Amino acid sequence: MRRDPYEILGVDRGADEAEIKKAFRRLARELHPDVNSSDPGAEEKFKEAAEAYEILSDRERRRTYDAFGHEGLRSGGFHSRAESAGGFQDIFEAIFGRSDPMFGDLFGFGGGGGPAAGDDIGARVEIELADVVTGARRQVEFDAVERCGHCHGNGAEPGTPIETCEACGGAGQVRQVSRTPFGQMVRAAPCPSCGGDGKVAATPCTACDGEGAVRERKTYEIDVPAGIENGQRIRISGAGDAGVGGGPAGDLYVRVEIAPDERFHREGTDLVTVLEVTATTAMLGASLPVPTVAGEVEVEVEPGSQHGDSIRIRGEGLPALGNARRRGDLHVAVKVITPVGLDEEQRELAERLEASLGPENAPGSAREGIFERVRRAFR
């Protein structure tokens, strides 16, 4: 019977991504054969931990497991890549890929202990449609990895030494020998215990558990430009996770979401709104208020207006991104409402009106011949 991935990694069900990653990293170091050569079952234990990480680090898989357990994952076609991998390092490559920054930054099999850029971070902010006209300034809150202020990023408790790594003897690398049909193959990889530095903290920092970094809640103020589209992202360089070994920080990408406004439909820089009028108003014409992003304006509904006619109000749309002076238009779609529930007097008036109408009262398109309408459509 398969064990619970939360139990395998030693995290609770409310653990966030950072806690899951940290727990797996700790297990990976404990189970590495160069550190734990006395346990012949370390590789199988690591495969189990790797599968648990595969499940809990993926949002959809984790949601499926929480709802339906391992059976739900099997039904959905999930198969752990760790099961088909060979040795310890092969498992890393199967799951993360050698080109994946997590492969090197987290587990020490990539670029060693050299500088590495921090991860990018995603966040979101919501604005109103009116903010698209003027632009807006908003505060964004997010979690980011920062260099530990207690140990200044070296992972050691202040006043304690940093010693030579016992796992690699200070070389920063470990060698693995595997047999192949073509003979023995020797592979060198950065030491997972020291990350390729060749040194480890004798007493890990109590503030960051020897990681040299901590996850903190940050607040950043961003400028949302006028004319931005729903779903577009704003990049804040260097506001992401702190780099490793002196590497640059990652970036912050803020997705801008525009709150729905039921009065308008957006088409690029143009806006469309609907004006409901009664059949008699459409026949007689009227001056009526319509909404704009900034307030209300009066429009003239011409006598004889038809259902689906459009009235254009120039310059009452949205600005173009990067050119706030150029604004689109507001298109007012006329929707003719037919009265219901007529009483005797109203019905009599409607019947008299109907009887009095002739061909001259039909809209222009109705008086046109079929061939003229076809020619006009294709023009």
Side-chain angles (χ1 to χ4, degrees):
M1 182 176 179
R2 294 194 173 213
R3 293 172 61 202
D4 180 15
Y6 292 99
E7 178 188 342
I8 294 169
L9 296 185
V11 297
D12 60 41
R13 290 188 172 269
D16 61 20
E17 182 183 345
E19 291 173 302
I20 292 169
K21 188 182 293 185
K22 187 175 181 179
F24 181 42
R25 180 177 180 178
R26 185 183 297 111
L27 272 177
R29 287 178 170 176
E30 290 176 3
L31 297 172
H32 192 281
D34 290 313
V35 178
N36 194 18
S37 57
S38 61
D39 185 359
E43 188 171 299
E44 287 304 315
K45 291 178 182 177
F46 176 73
K47 285 186 178 182
E48 184 182 50
E51 179 179 333
Y53 182 77
E54 281 188 274
I55 294 170
L56 299 186
S57 62
D58 184 283
R59 186 176 300 175
E60 290 301 320
R61 288 179 192 153
R62 183 176 180 179
R63 187 179 294 121
T64 300
Y65 175 80
D66 288 344
F68 307 106
H70 286 292
E71 186 60 37
L73 291 171
R74 281 194 295 271
S75 300
F78 169 69
H79 176 73
S80 174
R81 286 171 286 181
E83 288 296 326
S84 57
F88 192 90
Q89 186 171 344
D90 294 331
I91 298 171
F92 278 122
E93 294 183 14
I95 298 174
F96 305 105
R98 181 167 288 277
S99 62
D100 193 317
M102 184 183 294
F103 183 85
D105 296 348
L106 259 183
F107 308 110
F109 286 108
D119 290 337
D120 294 335
I121 294 176
R124 61 177 291 276
V125 67
E126 185 175 90
I127 63 172
E128 302 295 326
L129 189 63
D131 297 323
V132 179
V133 177
T134 60
R137 195 167 182 83
R138 291 288 184 273
Q139 281 193 339
V140 181
E141 289 190 353
F142 55 95
D143 292 326
V145 173
E146 292 287 296
R147 190 177 73 162
C148 177
H150 186 62
C151 66
H152 303 291
N154 66 12
E157 186 68 17
T160 64
I162 297 178
E163 301 174 340
T164 300
C165 175
E166 293 182 3
C168 65
Q173 288 188 336
V174 292
R175 293 180 177 274
Q176 294 179 327
V177 180
S178 58
R179 294 185 180 275
T180 72
F182 305 100
Q184 288 188 336
M185 180 178 293
V186 180
R187 291 186 296 184
C191 174
S193 295
C194 63
D197 291 334
K199 296 183 180 297
V200 293
T203 304
C205 172
T206 55
C208 66
D209 198 23
E211 298 293 330
V214 293
R215 185 166 288 272
E216 295 180 348
R217 192 72 174 168
K218 294 177 67 175
T219 302
Y220 207 98
E221 200 167 57
I222 65 165
D223 288 314
V224 180
I228 196 164
E229 294 274 356
N230 185 52
Q232 284 188 315
R233 297 193 303 170
I234 299 172
R235 174 174 172 262
I236 312 297
S237 180
D241 284 345
V244 178
D251 298 332
L252 171 66
Y253 288 88
V254 182
R255 176 186 170 90
V256 178
E257 296 178 1
I258 302 170
D261 190 324
E262 62 182 11
R263 301 173 301 168
F264 303 105
H265 171 71
R266 182 177 183 177
E267 290 286 348
T269 58
D270 287 348
L271 292 175
V272 180
T273 190
V274 175
L275 175 63
E276 294 184 345
V277 299
T278 62
T280 50
T281 299
M283 287 187 287
L284 301 174
S287 178
L288 298 173
V290 295
T292 72
V293 175
E296 287 189 343
V297 297
E298 295 276 325
V299 296
E300 292 297 326
V301 178
E302 296 294 330
S305 292
Q306 301 297 305
H307 180 80
D309 282 356
S310 179
I311 304 169
R312 174 185 289 187
I313 306 176
R314 296 188 180 276
E316 287 293 344
L318 300 175
L321 185 62
N323 185 3
R325 294 182 179 179
R326 184 169 65 85
R327 288 184 61 172
D329 302 328
L330 174 64
H331 300 268
V332 182
V334 176
K335 181 179 179 181
V336 178
I337 305 298
T338 304
V340 297
L342 301 180
D343 59 25
E344 283 294 325
E345 183 180 359
Q346 291 169 331
R347 178 176 290 278
E348 182 181 341
L349 289 171
E351 289 173 350
R352 288 171 56 192
L353 175 62
E354 175 68 20
S356 69
L357 297 176
E360 69 278 5
N361 301 119
S365 59
R367 293 195 300 267
E368 293 174 350
I370 183 64
F371 294 110
E372 176 58 30
R373 278 184 284 172
V374 170
R375 280 196 295 270
R376 187 167 59 84
F378 278 94
R379 269 202 308 271

